[in-house]
């Protein structure tokens, strides 16, 4: 069973907003409104202003934010400061996840964990488990934080490895079992990254791990099923449904923040309706 402190915080965040929506803060300079490139003197200032506007607009309709580290690292030497400042702009009653997909071992993994949970003060992060427990354990040393392990991802070539059959089961099923046992052994909490584009696997994993929080990408631009997500959230399954491009770039004009709010609210309402329909 997951540690109650993170579970409680996630429950509280979802209850406050009546939402399971996780907004992906993946700012692409090429997609920011044109006026930002004139109004702000530097790329980092433009990104921070954009992120702050998105956070303020979507906070009533979301329970979490996921920041993909690549979009900040690409800003250069200032990227880490932009990432850290953005995390600090997110309301404290929201879950803050760094999507870095770290997957190294030993001192390297320890330093990655220190950066994400220490310096950035994030609530959760994504980790690639290909190198085994050595790559995950340093993150699990942080009590009250969640480590979302890549289990069944939504990218097109995921089948090349994740669906390989070993001892009669697909590889992702073995990874899920291992990750669940790791969560039982260490202070931190384990979550699963499971894509909405694989509804059968999503349902099967939920049945096997009813108390494990799922971070679910693939809704929107990748064509994932809201109905499948709803089945994973019923009756008590905790899910964080991530949407990045569909919310951030709902409009390329000056109304980008209002349209982002509309997109977040619409996704929240669709998910809630689907969950309620499954519960009936």
């Amino acid at each position: 069973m997951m540690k109650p402190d993170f579970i409680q915080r996630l429950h509280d965040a979802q209850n406050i907003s009546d939402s399971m929506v996780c907004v992906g803060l993946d700012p692409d300079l090429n997609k920011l409104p044109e006026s930002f490139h004139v109004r702000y003197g530097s790329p980092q200032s433009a990104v921070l202003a954009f992120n702050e506007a998105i956070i303020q607009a979507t906070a009533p309709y979301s329970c979490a934010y996921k920041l993909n580290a690549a979009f900040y690292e690409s800003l250069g030497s200032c990227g880490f400061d932009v990432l850290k400042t953005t995390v600090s702009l997110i309301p404290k009653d929201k879950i803050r996840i760094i999507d870095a997909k770290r997957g190294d071992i030993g001192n390297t993994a320890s330093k990655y964990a220190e950066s994400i949970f220490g310096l950035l003060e994030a609530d959760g992060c994504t980790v690639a488990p290909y190198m085994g427990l050595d790559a995950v354990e340093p993150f699990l040393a942080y009590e009250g934080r969640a480590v979302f392990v890549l289990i069944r991802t939504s990218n097109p070539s995921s089948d090349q490895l994740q669906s390989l059959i070993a001892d009669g089961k697909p590889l992702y099923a073995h990874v899920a079992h291992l990750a669940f046992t790791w969560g039982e052994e260490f202070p931190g909490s384990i979550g699963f990254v499971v894509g909405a584009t694989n509804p059968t696997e999503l349902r099967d994993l939920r049945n096997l791990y009813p108390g494990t929080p799922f971070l679910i990408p693939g809704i929107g631009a990748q064509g994932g099923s809201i109905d499948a997500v709803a089945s994973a959230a019923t009756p008590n399954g905790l899910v964080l449904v991530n949407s990045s491009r569909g919310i951030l770039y709902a409009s390329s004009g000056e109304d980008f923040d209002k349209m982002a709010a509309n997109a977040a609210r619409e996704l929240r309402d669709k998910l809630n309706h689907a969950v309620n329909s499954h519960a009936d």
Side-chain angles (χ1 to χ4, degrees):
M1 183 179 294
M2 287 284 291
K3 312 300 187 299
D5 50 1
F6 181 81
I7 287 288
Q8 188 58 57
R9 290 169 58 210
L10 180 53
H11 270 301
D12 291 345
Q14 294 190 335
N15 289 336
I16 289 170
S17 57
D18 189 28
S19 177
M20 61 190 78
V21 172
C22 175
V23 176
L25 289 173
D26 303 346
D28 186 337
L29 283 171
N30 296 321
K31 294 182 179 180
L32 267 56
E34 287 187 17
S35 64
F36 274 56
H37 299 286
V38 176
R39 190 183 314 164
Y40 298 98
S42 64
Q44 56 265 36
S45 296
V47 167
L48 278 174
F50 179 79
N51 283 352
E52 184 171 16
I54 291 291
I55 291 167
Q56 290 178 353
T58 59
Y61 316 112
S62 64
C63 67
Y65 290 86
K66 181 175 74 66
L67 298 82
N68 191 308
F71 289 87
Y72 299 88
E73 292 170 0
S74 67
L75 294 173
S77 59
C78 66
F80 189 87
D81 289 338
V82 175
L83 180 58
K84 182 173 176 60
T85 301
T86 298
V87 171
S88 72
L89 293 172
I90 298 170
K92 300 302 183 185
D93 60 357
K94 309 296 182 183
I95 298 297
R96 301 163 298 173
I97 299 169
I98 302 299
D99 185 6
K101 300 181 179 69
R102 301 305 189 198
D104 213 327
I105 59 173
N107 288 337
T108 307
S110 296
K111 291 301 181 183
Y112 279 140
E114 182 181 336
S115 172
I116 290 172
F117 291 143
L119 295 177
L120 294 174
E121 299 182 320
D123 302 303
C125 67
T126 57
V127 174
Y130 191 78
M131 296 180 77
L133 176 59
D134 293 345
V136 182
E137 183 178 355
F139 297 89
L140 287 170
Y142 289 79
E143 188 173 4
R145 313 298 176 92
V147 181
F148 288 91
V149 175
L150 304 182
I151 301 295
R152 188 68 175 102
T153 59
S154 57
N155 58 299
S157 60
S158 60
D159 283 341
Q160 291 179 342
L161 288 176
Q162 294 170 19
S163 293
L164 291 176
I165 301 300
D167 293 332
K169 296 190 298 185
L171 182 59
Y172 75 81
H174 292 281
V175 175
H177 175 72
L178 277 173
F180 180 79
T181 61
W182 297 337
E184 297 283 281
E185 297 172 9
F186 298 97
S189 296
I190 281 286
F192 291 176
V193 177
V194 184
T197 53
N198 302 295
T200 300
E201 290 91 339
L202 177 59
R203 182 179 61 250
D204 291 345
L205 286 166
R206 172 51 79 208
N207 289 336
L208 288 170
Y209 306 99
T212 301
F214 285 8
L215 175 59
I216 303 179
I219 288 288
Q222 297 183 56
S225 166
I226 285 181
D227 188 65
V229 171
S231 67
T234 304
N236 295 312
L238 283 171
V239 299
L240 290 163
V241 183
N242 186 75
S243 176
S244 300
R245 287 168 286 177
I247 291 176
L248 293 190
Y249 310 119
S251 170
S252 60
E254 292 302 308
D255 63 345
F256 74 95
D257 52 345
K258 294 182 178 63
M259 296 305 292
N262 289 342
R265 182 176 61 246
E266 182 179 352
L267 178 57
R268 180 197 68 174
D269 293 347
K270 285 181 178 180
L271 287 166
N272 288 347
H273 180 267
V275 169
N276 291 333
S277 297
H278 275 267
D280 291 342

